[in-house]
Amino acid sequence: MSNTTRNRVIYQSQALFAAPTGTTMVTSADHSLRRVQSCNYNFSVTRQDINQYGELAAIDRLILQEPTVAVDLSYYFEPTGFNEAHLGFRTNAATGTSTVTDHMLDYVISSGANYDQKNVYVLVSDAGIDANDSTAMSTSTVEGIIGIGNAFLTSWSLDAAVGAIPTVSCALEGQNIVFTGGGGSYDIGNPAVVDGVDVTSTLVTLPDGAGMFNSNSEVSAVRPGDITLTLGTTNSDNTPMFGLSESDLKIQSASVAMTIGREPIRKLGKAFAFAREITFPINCTMSVNAIVGTTATNKLYTLMTTNGDNTKYYCELKLVGYQGAVAHNAYIMLKGAKLDSQNFTSSIGPNQTVTLELSAQIGRNSGLHFKAD
């Protein structure tokens, strides 16, 4: 490792990993996150002022709760669901409207800490060395590692639009952050906090690189022309929209998202929360923007009449990525959806557009589902 000072750090020198908090040895690149476009992390400390009569300023400012470490990252979507699986999501849902409990948070809710909380690691290589290049990386070229412990997912969203690569954004909340530098090693103390106890004495060893891109085995990205969207219970027109023919819409963008609320569970005698449980309900949304085409007969009045709002819709975003001539399909499904709003926009110059907002809650056969094949 170089002993000289460093002028800057750029994306070339960083590789990102996510692993269960209990993992003591990360032995392969299977824990890497691919196609990462950005990664930001910060922490904030909340303090309680201790005041008393006779003094204007606080005599002390005490930390009553653990600092919160926030991680925000984005990456190009892969139809294999590689990153989603490493973040704890279920990626083998059933397509269609069959009654199953296989939503994206199925494993997180039912299968414990290995899915619900992660340690996130950022490996930093020497300047001019690709952090993903296992042939160039060695202990002498590792400048440092940043580890975020007990990171709980709080949001996930996918944005697809004409002229852009589909991109995922997600956020996590952690309880600890550990910095190592100058050691020239792939080792870092485990940043997790277990029942309020620091476990950095247990070393985690990162692999020697996230692995070079292999065009023979990986999908580089999904093109906008390989994305299709189906709205409604079937492929028929005007479901769930009012006054529009689905087959004649020119979709410009579509996004799906969910926000996962977290409640820290604390107890006397411990400085750190021992769990961050999900708060329910969890709302999932889909937003679609399209250029208006053929008008279809309908009226909003029917929504308020007997059984007019009884139908729950199945909305499917299909994304296809190619590994050479082999197609990999991903289906992002919003099951049990209801229409929340429909907004028309028209002015001199631009085409008339419509924006539809739909939502559903995570539950049995409802919410966001992910299928990779």
Side-chain angles (χ1 to χ4, degrees):
M1 191 192 71
S2 173
N3 292 321
T4 61
T5 59
R6 184 169 188 156
N7 291 331
R8 64 175 186 171
V9 176
I10 61 173
Y11 65 95
Q12 171 201 27
S13 303
Q14 299 180 89
L16 199 63
F17 302 83
T21 55
T23 298
T24 57
M25 294 291 287
V26 179
T27 56
S28 73
D30 287 342
H31 290 292
S32 65
L33 297 180
R34 304 195 300 219
R35 311 295 179 268
V36 175
Q37 301 300 296
S38 66
C39 179
N40 310 305
Y41 43 91
N42 63 79
F43 66 87
S44 58
V45 181
T46 302
R47 299 178 182 273
Q48 173 70 53
D49 289 346
I50 307 301
N51 296 96
Q52 67 177 8
Y53 272 35
E55 295 192 34
L56 182 63
I59 61 173
D60 204 347
R61 301 178 67 223
L62 299 181
I63 301 174
L64 299 187
Q65 298 175 357
E66 74 279 2
T68 298
V69 183
V71 183
D72 298 290
L73 60 97
S74 66
Y75 52 85
Y76 286 153
F77 177 80
E78 283 187 81
T80 59
F82 182 90
N83 287 350
E84 282 72 24
H86 285 81
L87 290 172
F89 289 119
R90 180 168 181 168
T91 59
N92 61 347
T95 55
T97 56
S98 57
T99 303
V100 287
T101 304
D102 57 6
H103 50 73
M104 289 180 67
L105 290 179
D106 195 10
Y107 294 159
V108 170
I109 294 172
S110 62
S111 299
N114 282 346
Y115 293 94
D116 193 29
Q117 56 180 308
K118 302 288 183 178
N119 285 348
V120 177
Y121 303 94
V122 182
L123 181 146
V124 182
S125 68
D126 272 349
I129 302 294
D130 284 358
N132 285 1
D133 188 350
S134 59
T135 61
M137 284 290 291
S138 65
T139 55
S140 63
T141 58
V142 176
E143 184 173 280
I145 302 172
I146 299 96
I148 294 99
N150 308 96
F152 295 83
L153 198 72
T154 57
S155 69
W156 181 91
S157 64
L158 168 65
D159 295 298
V162 171
I165 300 295
T167 302
V168 171
S169 299
C170 56
L172 304 97
E173 286 184 356
Q175 295 196 146
N176 190 25
I177 186 166
V178 174
F179 296 87
T180 66
S185 170
Y186 285 102
D187 294 336
I188 181 175
N190 192 328
V193 176
V194 179
D195 197 23
V197 178
D198 176 21
V199 294
T200 52
S201 60
T202 302
L203 292 181
V204 174
T205 302
L206 299 184
D208 61 356
M212 296 180 65
F213 167 67
N214 187 337
S215 60
N216 295 321
S217 61
E218 296 180 17
V219 175
S220 57
V222 176
R223 299 174 300 182
D226 297 320
I227 302 172
T228 55
L229 177 65
T230 300
L231 298 172
T233 52
T234 65
N235 290 327
S236 61
D237 292 340
N238 202 35
T239 313
M241 296 163 293
F242 283 86
L244 295 173
S245 172
E246 179 192 337
S247 62
D248 202 32
L249 286 177
K250 292 78 177 174
I251 305 295
Q252 300 300 294
S253 66
S255 63
V256 291
M258 63 178 165
T259 300
I260 308 160
R262 296 284 182 173
E263 178 189 3
I265 308 296
R266 301 182 174 89
K267 57 185 176 182
L268 291 176
K270 298 294 182 181
F272 285 79
F274 62 87
R276 287 178 177 263
E277 295 294 340
I278 296 174
T279 57
F280 297 96
I282 298 173
N283 291 315
C284 305
T285 60
M286 174 178 284
S287 178
V288 180
N289 180 267
I291 295 175
V292 172
T294 303
T295 301
T297 301
N298 208 331
K299 55 185 177 182
L300 187 61
Y301 174 83
T302 59
L303 191 67
M304 298 299 294
T305 57
T306 304
N307 296 327
D309 192 36
N310 190 49
T311 305
K312 294 182 179 179
Y313 299 104
Y314 171 82
C315 306
E316 180 183 283
L317 189 65
K318 180 180 179 181
L319 304 98
V320 183
Y322 290 91
Q323 169 199 326
V326 179
H328 292 268
N329 304 314
Y331 305 86
I332 309 297
M333 300 156 278
L334 184 64
K335 296 184 179 182
K338 295 274 191 163
L339 179 67
D340 293 327
S341 68
Q342 189 169 309
N343 180 41
F344 292 88
T345 303
S346 179
S347 62
I348 294 175
N351 300 312
Q352 185 183 24
T353 60
V354 61
T355 300
L356 296 93
E357 304 286 347
L358 303 107
S359 65
Q361 292 182 352
I362 287 287
R364 184 170 181 82
N365 200 40
S366 67
L368 279 180
H369 299 239
F370 189 119
K371 171 67 174 178
D373 60 25

